[in-house]
Amino acid sequence: MQIGPHQIFPPLVLAPMAGTTDLPFRQLCRRWGAGMAVSEMVHSDISLWHTRKSRLRLDQSGELAPRNLQIAGYDPSMMAEAARVAADRGAQIIDINMGCPVKKVTRRLAGSALLSDEPLVGEILSAVVDAVSLPVTLKIRLGLDKEHVNALRIAQIAEQSGIQALTIHGRTRACRFSGAVDYEAIAQVKAQTCLPVIANGDICSAADAKRVLAVTGADGLMIGRGAQGKPWVFAEIAAELGWAKPTEIPQGDARLRLILEHIQAMHSFYGESLGVRTARKHLSWYLQDLSIADQNRQRIMAAETAFDQCQAVELGLSGFYRDTGLAA
């Protein structure tokens, strides 16, 4: 899949997820086969970029190319300026968010709320494309609700505006993250646009990926929640679709080492206190399918220092893998 000068291979993309796709997680998913990883969404008001939260979200230091930064907003000039500043800071692709259904975003008429105003969509896309020499991509949903599905029209506006790739989440804004994903609707857009189309929504396994690719005919796939607690899902998908040789999925001690490396990277990235707190959500995803003793699980989740968190993980998981015969 080609986006501007960037060849995305395998065409598997880590979705932008607020509070999840920070630099350590993006780097981990790239290591496990993602062809591209999109940053957490940042507000287009650059006056807010000095805050600690924004500075962490904007950090792309040491990240593999292409570095893709996602911006959200409703004002064309602010979006254009955000794109220019992001480019100056080293972003190589600018992604525009018109898919987020979360109220704190949509109540500001940003994210998926913009799908109700097609002229404004065109103004924003044109302003951002004209502002930078980088490729600009767009992420959308099918529409506001089932009675107002306009993904094809948005795709046409995107083409006319110079957008270079389109990600479609196969739900409407009203659906949020529940209900069946309409892959046929994505296929209909793909059949009528010249843009590379990336299909998104409920892709959690290699079997899911194979089915979605067959139904949609998409050029690439975007994986979000399916990568939480299993960043190796990209390697599984790439092998299933013939894009890479089969890779041994980490088990036992190998998985323990991966988890420890991940949380230690978060401790380093965020600092100890915030790193420990942020690591808890990832640990909950890593542990959710493991029948670990309640006392060990509680010890892992209650740790307050980096040392205690790592020690609790090592003791809890090494004991679990030893008891289940998975330690090798």
Side-chain angles (χ1 to χ4, degrees):
M1 178 173 63
Q2 193 77 24
I3 299 179
H6 306 290
Q7 178 70 27
I8 312 302
F9 189 82
L12 301 173
V13 183
L14 174 65
M17 294 179 284
T20 300
T21 51
D22 54 21
L23 181 60
F25 191 60
R26 295 198 305 272
Q27 291 176 319
L28 181 59
C29 289
R30 290 299 305 272
R31 204 171 89 204
W32 279 97
M36 183 169 68
V38 186
S39 76
E40 298 173 86
M41 175 181 67
V42 293
H43 197 287
S44 59
D45 184 353
I46 62 172
S47 70
L48 303 175
W49 287 13
H50 70 282
T51 65
R52 184 184 189 189
K53 182 177 181 179
S54 292
R55 283 189 284 106
L56 290 168
R57 289 189 173 190
L58 289 160
D59 193 341
Q60 296 181 304
S61 55
E63 188 166 2
L64 291 174
R67 297 182 295 276
N68 188 323
L69 183 74
Q70 188 183 73
I71 58 176
Y74 56 86
D75 181 86
S77 61
M78 288 177 65
M79 291 285 281
E81 180 63 13
R84 280 191 289 267
V85 175
D88 290 342
R89 295 172 64 105
Q92 295 172 306
I93 297 176
I94 302 296
D95 188 58
I96 297 175
N97 184 308
M98 293 189 183
C100 181
V102 177
K103 285 185 178 179
K104 69 178 181 180
V105 174
T106 58
R107 71 188 177 196
R108 297 177 179 176
L109 300 180
S112 57
L114 286 165
L115 300 177
S116 67
D117 191 337
E118 293 178 5
L120 180 56
V121 168
E123 290 178 34
I124 290 172
L125 299 185
S126 294
V128 175
V129 169
D130 290 345
V132 294
S133 59
L134 308 179
V136 179
T137 59
L138 173 65
K139 188 172 190 288
I140 65 169
R141 287 183 166 238
L142 297 177
L144 292 181
D145 52 43
K146 292 180 179 178
E147 288 69 46
H148 300 88
V149 171
N150 61 342
L152 178 57
R153 178 60 189 148
I154 297 296
Q156 293 167 341
I157 295 170
E159 276 189 47
Q160 296 162 4
S161 302
I163 293 297
Q164 297 197 34
L166 176 68
T167 299
I168 307 174
H169 182 107
R171 293 187 177 97
T172 66
R173 169 190 168 184
C175 292
R176 291 177 59 85
F177 299 102
S178 62
V181 178
D182 191 345
Y183 300 115
E184 293 286 353
I186 297 176
Q188 291 171 13
V189 177
K190 168 59 187 170
Q192 299 181 67
T193 182
C194 296
L195 294 173
V197 170
I198 303 168
N200 175 227
D202 286 4
I203 303 171
C204 299
S205 67
D208 292 339
K210 188 173 184 178
R211 175 173 53 87
V212 171
L213 200 63
V215 172
T216 63
D219 301 278
L221 301 172
M222 179 173 279
I223 294 89
R225 289 176 293 173
Q228 293 173 342
K230 50 176 186 176
W232 51 84
V233 71
F234 295 98
E236 293 179 313
I237 292 171
E240 176 67 25
L241 295 175
W243 292 332
K245 294 180 180 178
T247 300
E248 186 173 348
I249 302 307
Q251 301 290 348
D253 290 343
R255 186 170 300 189
L256 172 57
R257 289 194 299 272
L258 181 154
I259 294 170
L260 284 172
E261 288 173 9
H262 185 190
I263 65 173
Q264 287 166 350
M266 282 188 279
H267 298 158
S268 176
F269 181 69
Y270 288 105
E272 181 172 26
S273 179
L274 182 56
V276 167
R277 297 198 305 272
T278 305
R280 287 178 186 144
K281 71 174 72 174
H282 288 274
L283 286 170
S284 70
W285 293 323
Y286 283 123
L287 301 178
Q288 63 186 354
D289 295 328
L290 303 181
S291 53
I292 294 175
D294 287 345
Q295 61 182 15
N296 288 337
R297 188 182 297 270
Q298 290 168 4
R299 188 177 297 116
I300 290 169
M301 300 309 294
E304 294 286 348
T305 68
F307 176 82
D308 288 346
Q309 192 172 61
C310 290
Q311 186 177 57
V313 169
E314 187 162 12
L315 291 174
L317 286 183
S318 60
F320 168 77
Y321 290 134
R322 183 180 62 251
D323 294 343
T324 55
L326 296 174

